[in-house]
Amino acid sequence: MNQPHQNLNVELYDLYVADWPGEMDFYHAFAQQPHANQTGVLEVACGTGRVTIRLAQAGVHITGLDHSLEMLAVAQSKSAGMDNVHWVQADMRDFDLDARFGLAIIPGHSFQNIHTADDQLACLTCIQRHLVPGGTLIVHLDHQELDWLCDIGKNPFQTVKYGSKLTHPVTGQICRRSYAWAYERATQTANFHSAWEILDENEVVVGRYDNEPLRFHCVFRQEMEHLAHRAGFEVEALYGDFLRGALGEDSTEMIWVLKRP
Ligand SMILES: C[S@@+](CC[C@H](N)C(=O)[O-])C[C@H]1O[C@@H](n2cnc3c(N)ncnc32)[C@H](O)[C@@H]1O
């Protein structure tokens, strides 16, 4: 290994996370609605600004909030010179921006980084306080796949998978992520162990960086509905994809459109 890396997850994030079909158009349409158009948009857990910057490029005034300084540093450098995007470092469970927005969004399953009911509620009520009356919150979650959860519950970390090969944008090294999952039924938690491997020209592994294990809370449909009501939201719509298809047996996503009364 000839190049040290600070955090390959951050350095490569924009290469390994792709948009969902219709995702940007979906958020953009909500950002054009009068409340959001007048007051701007808040993106919670924005990461490197995958969604934030695209909306800003389309003319939306947007604030991206994340607790990771590393992710925000990438977002900041990507948006240098843009004056309609602002970045805030804060915890999504407890923040005070002294501002109210017509639209808040939590894209990319980020809400699943919250693990307890108290914290979920704290996050949703905190966002509610930052919305104007009639404002909208969109939450994008996984639609849980029971066969898979059952498999990784019975066979924890047994199946190692590999992502596609990526070229590091700075070093030019070929990188590939290996990962495995396990599920804890009692806490509805999917545990994710991953590492980045550096490959040489013959695809031999010449370096390996283990990532911090991640824990994702598996939110189920009725759980989200109860949470939304406890936090004082009305459920305006629930979609199974960003093309506004109904949530069905084969849906892999849940997209909740919640309204502050
Ligand atoms: C999978 S990334 C998604 C980023 C972005 N929303 C997207 O769709 O590309 C999850 C993000 O959630 C952030 N995050 C996790 N827990 C958080 C918390 N308690 N408060 C704020 N941000 C958090 C992480 O730092 C990370 O940037």
Side-chain angles (χ1 to χ4, degrees):
M1 189 183 326
N2 48 19
Q3 295 275 357
H5 293 278
Q6 298 295 319
N7 185 337
L8 277 163
N9 269 340
V10 173
E11 293 162 25
L12 297 171
Y13 183 84
D14 289 336
L15 295 180
Y16 71 83
V17 177
D19 298 349
W20 280 263
E23 183 187 13
M24 295 301 158
D25 288 346
F26 182 91
Y27 290 130
H28 189 248
F30 278 93
Q32 295 309 301
Q33 291 186 352
H35 281 317
N37 209 7
Q38 285 153 18
T39 59
V41 176
L42 171 65
E43 183 185 340
V44 174
C46 62
T48 61
R50 182 182 65 86
V51 177
T52 339
I53 293 172
R54 300 270 283 292
L55 291 180
Q57 284 166 340
V60 174
H61 285 263
I62 187 161
T63 299
L65 176 152
D66 202 283
H67 72 167
S68 162
L69 281 174
E70 284 178 298
M71 297 292 260
L72 287 174
V74 175
Q76 247 152 358
S77 74
K78 280 165 40 185
S79 60
M82 297 177 73
D83 59 8
N84 57 334
V85 56
H86 302 284
W87 305 106
V88 177
Q89 195 230 345
D91 191 312
M92 64 175 141
R93 297 165 298 179
D94 182 18
F95 60 91
D96 184 0
L97 304 184
D98 195 21
R100 284 190 174 194
F101 301 85
L103 173 67
I105 60 178
I106 317 181
H109 307 156
S110 297
F111 187 67
Q112 294 175 227
N113 286 287
I114 299 179
H115 302 113
T116 67
D118 284 348
D119 283 349
Q120 289 171 319
L121 199 56
C123 175
L124 293 177
T125 50
C126 192
I127 292 171
Q128 236 239 18
R129 285 199 300 276
H130 288 81
L131 286 175
V132 297
T136 301
L137 167 63
I138 300 173
V139 188
H140 174 201
L141 303 171
D142 267 322
H143 187 210
Q144 304 308 323
E145 217 273 278
L146 292 184
D147 287 345
W148 179 68
L149 291 180
C150 195
D151 180 44
I152 62 171
K154 285 186 184 147
N155 305 298
F157 303 119
Q158 289 308 295
T159 308
V160 177
K161 293 195 169 172
Y162 295 91
S164 45
K165 291 189 279 275
L166 306 171
T167 304
H168 192 286
V170 175
T171 66
Q173 290 169 311
I174 306 299
C175 307
R176 179 180 68 182
R177 190 161 67 158
S178 65
Y179 57 93
W181 292 89
Y183 183 60
E184 294 167 19
R185 276 174 75 196
T187 59
Q188 291 177 216
T189 306
N191 289 298
F192 181 70
H193 287 184
S194 69
W196 283 100
E197 297 173 345
I198 313 290
L199 308 179
D200 71 8
E201 59 280 8
N202 300 314
E203 306 210 349
V204 174
V205 177
V206 291
R208 182 185 158 95
Y209 293 81
D210 287 305
N211 297 313
E212 284 287 311
L214 292 176
R215 293 167 61 75
F216 298 105
H217 181 72
C218 299
V219 181
F220 285 83
R221 180 200 173 142
Q222 304 256 343
E223 171 184 359
M224 190 62 203
E225 196 164 333
H226 283 295
L227 271 172
H229 287 305
R230 279 185 79 192
F233 284 102
E234 288 169 1
V235 177
E236 190 173 275
L238 168 59
Y239 299 112
D241 58 47
F242 285 104
L243 305 174
R244 302 186 189 228
L247 185 77
E249 293 306 302
D250 296 331
S251 306
T252 58
E253 313 301 315
M254 288 196 289
I255 298 129
W256 291 81
V257 181
L258 308 176
K259 184 147 289 250
R260 176 184 167 162

